[in-house]
Amino acid sequence: MLSLLNYTGLTIVGYTAVVLGIVSLMPFLVMSSIAIPKIHPHRWLSLGQKGVEKDWNLYFNTLFWNLNFWDSVSTMAGEVDRPQKTFPVALLVAVVFTCVAYLIPLFAVTGSVSVDQSLWENGFMANAAEIIAGKWLKIWLEIGAVLSAIGLYEAQLSSNAYQLLGMADLGLLPRVFAARSKWFDTPWLGILVSTAICLGFSYMNFTSIISSANFLYSLGMLLEFASFLWLRRKMPGLKRPYRVPLSLPWLAALSLVPSAFLVVIMVYATKVVYLVSGLMTVGGIAWFFLMRLCKSKKILQFSNGDVGEVNGED
């Protein structure tokens, strides 16, 4: 049912995401306001409760998962008016807003609630809301969390669907993936395939899902950074919607910081994550050669990747 919303188009998805974002953040704002008189700043300086083991794997993966996938918006650049001006401003505002939206409730709860830290696990923020204001705020916050998850699903589904469409336009996937709805001009097959994949992985627990997603995302980001530096060195004059105003040495130094963090995330992965990510990576490589075979044998129809064809001028 949620996937049907994506079928109606990015405009509706965008406005829906804004409404869901506002509604889901309201209980956190109310909780933070009520917590102000109860805050004891010295609690922010705590290094952790003795006897409670620190789960660094879960911490790094949750932190990374909450703050990644910014590059996913690039898959929808073709649907945005003047992306070279819109994207930098939108990303800057979104990054600042996201960090503030995480930090304010976190400081409010850690400064006002004193409980055994072994109780800090999935869902504790709702329990903290009950401690601060009562049962009514806990229920409201849980509703906000559900709405937030819906918004996240809609945004990620849009990104995945348009990525498949773009790969089809470039001849990396069969041309059928570039098919759009006659009524809403949306990539219906990409939406359908992405929905099926989400359902296929829904059996995994939260930690395994975000850890696997982070591992695969880290591999992809390392490839993106390498491609970014290689293209700047080999094709500095290549036409692009936006150019990072730095020289190659500075770009390399800039890329080293997130690359180091990506490696840390991959090192902290569990055996299950290595297994799932390894199988998916091998499957992706096998799929690449399968598509190359289908293209050479003309088993399926592929676009040739021409600019005119990509822009719908063929």
Side-chain angles (χ1 to χ4, degrees):
M1 292 175 61
L2 294 176
S3 299
L4 289 176
L5 182 62
N6 272 265
Y7 181 71
T8 61
L10 283 178
T11 301
I12 295 178
V13 171
Y15 283 118
T16 301
V18 171
V19 173
L20 288 174
I22 294 174
V23 174
S24 63
L25 285 174
M26 284 300 297
F28 290 93
L29 181 61
V30 171
M31 179 186 68
S32 301
S33 301
I34 297 176
I36 291 177
K38 305 177 182 181
I39 291 177
H40 299 279
H42 71 273
R43 292 175 177 168
W44 295 334
L45 304 177
S46 172
L47 298 179
Q49 181 178 320
K50 292 183 179 180
V52 178
E53 184 179 356
K54 299 177 178 63
D55 192 340
W56 292 108
N57 177 41
L58 180 60
Y59 169 73
F60 280 121
N61 274 288
T62 303
L63 178 66
F64 187 70
W65 184 71
N66 283 335
L67 297 171
N68 66 7
F69 288 102
W70 295 99
D71 60 321
S72 299
V73 71
S74 64
T75 64
M76 294 172 280
E79 311 296 315
V80 178
D81 183 34
R82 295 182 301 169
Q84 66 273 19
K85 293 184 178 181
T86 304
F87 273 19
V89 176
L91 286 172
L92 176 62
V93 173
V95 168
V96 173
F97 190 80
T98 299
C99 292
V100 171
Y102 281 129
L103 289 175
I104 290 179
L106 189 60
F107 276 116
V109 171
T110 55
S112 62
V113 176
S114 179
V115 297
D116 192 307
Q117 289 184 8
S118 63
L119 299 177
W120 280 79
E121 53 187 12
N122 293 339
F124 178 76
M125 193 68 78
N127 296 333
E130 183 177 14
I131 295 173
I132 293 173
K135 186 77 172 181
W136 64 273
L137 186 56
K138 176 182 180 180
I139 296 174
W140 189 12
L141 193 142
E142 288 175 336
I143 294 174
V146 172
L147 295 178
S148 175
I150 292 174
L152 177 62
Y153 176 81
E154 297 293 348
Q156 190 63 49
L157 183 59
S158 295
S159 172
N160 293 345
Y162 279 93
Q163 181 175 351
L164 293 175
L165 180 145
M167 293 174 70
D169 282 338
L170 296 172
L172 301 175
L173 286 177
R175 193 166 185 167
V176 65
F177 280 93
R180 290 177 179 256
S181 164
K182 294 181 180 179
W183 295 280
F184 302 105
D185 198 36
T186 49
W188 64 269
L189 184 57
I191 294 173
L192 185 63
V193 171
S194 299
T195 302
I197 293 175
C198 288
L199 291 173
F201 282 90
S202 62
Y203 72 93
M204 297 173 64
N205 61 46
F206 176 74
T207 302
S208 297
I209 289 176
I210 65 169
S211 298
S212 299
N214 288 343
F215 191 96
L216 292 169
Y217 180 77
S218 297
L219 289 176
M221 282 303 301
L222 289 173
L223 180 60
E224 286 184 31
F225 287 134
S227 301
F228 170 53
L229 296 175
W230 186 89
L231 285 170
R232 176 59 70 89
R233 180 173 179 269
K234 294 291 186 179
M235 304 178 185
L238 184 67
K239 184 179 179 181
R240 52 176 67 81
Y242 180 79
R243 178 185 173 91
V244 181
L246 292 174
S247 61
L248 185 59
W250 283 105
L251 292 177
L254 187 68
S255 300
L256 282 176
V257 177
S259 295
F261 193 64
L262 293 171
V263 173
V264 171
I265 291 297
M266 296 170 70
V267 169
Y268 271 99
T270 62
K271 294 180 179 178
V272 174
V273 173
Y274 283 128
L275 176 62
V276 173
S277 302
L279 290 174
M280 293 188 69
T281 300
V282 172
I285 295 173
W287 181 266
F288 169 77
F289 285 105
L290 176 62
M291 291 298 99
R292 175 180 285 187
L293 177 64
C294 291
K295 196 171 185 178
S296 62
K297 300 293 185 180
K298 297 183 179 180
I299 299 175
L300 299 170
Q301 287 188 336
F302 289 82
S303 299
N304 57 26
D306 288 342
V307 175
E309 187 176 24
V310 172
N311 292 334
E313 300 170 1
D314 55 323

